[in-house]
Amino acid sequence: MIKREFEKKKVRREKIRKRVRAKIIGTPERPRLSVYRSLKHIYAQIIDDTKGHTLVAMSSLSKEIRDEVRNAKTKTEVSRIVGLALAKKALEKGITKVVFDRNGYKYHGRVKALAEAAREGGLVF
């Protein structure tokens, strides 16, 4: 019973992801900022879809921010740290404008914290 419910959620999320991906495409001038969250961690990538390259990636498991993540009290704080670090890394590579792909997740909680921190860090979307 529980496994069927999980499978239904998985199929629903995949449909949402495909529908969003059809509308949001990253270009060299404006790459796509894609967010993925699991129960414990959050991952963010800036992707150029025309070439299929990941330009910048950051997650709550990244070595650069490991100490900050350990000191964070909530997962929302961790998302904020990841967003700021991603923006800093993107600006170093000359990326200032992105298209935000929330990957079918609702825009609240950890996803919202990451997006707002990336904006504070200097990214425009």
Side-chain angles (χ1 to χ4, degrees), residues 39-116:
L39 292 176
K40 285 187 175 184
H41 302 288
I42 190 155
Y43 309 83
Q45 293 181 328
I46 297 179
I47 305 162
D48 177 4
D49 287 324
T50 56
K51 295 179 183 175
H53 292 290
T54 299
L55 306 172
V56 180
M58 187 64 60
S59 76
S60 55
L61 298 171
S62 297
K63 291 180 183 179
E64 300 97 4
I65 58 173
R66 185 177 292 158
D67 294 333
E68 293 178 64
V69 168
R70 280 191 192 132
N71 296 332
K73 291 183 172 49
T74 64
K75 290 187 263 186
T76 306
E77 287 178 30
V78 170
S79 298
R80 184 170 167 69
I81 293 166
V82 171
L84 286 169
L86 181 78
K88 181 181 174 188
K89 210 171 178 184
L91 291 175
E92 288 173 2
K93 291 207 173 190
I95 301 167
T96 56
K97 294 183 178 181
V98 295
V99 178
F100 187 63
D101 175 10
R102 56 188 173 83
N103 239 343
Y105 300 110
K106 292 182 180 179
Y107 188 78
H108 70 87
R110 294 189 286 158
V111 174
K112 183 178 178 181
L114 187 140
E116 289 178 355

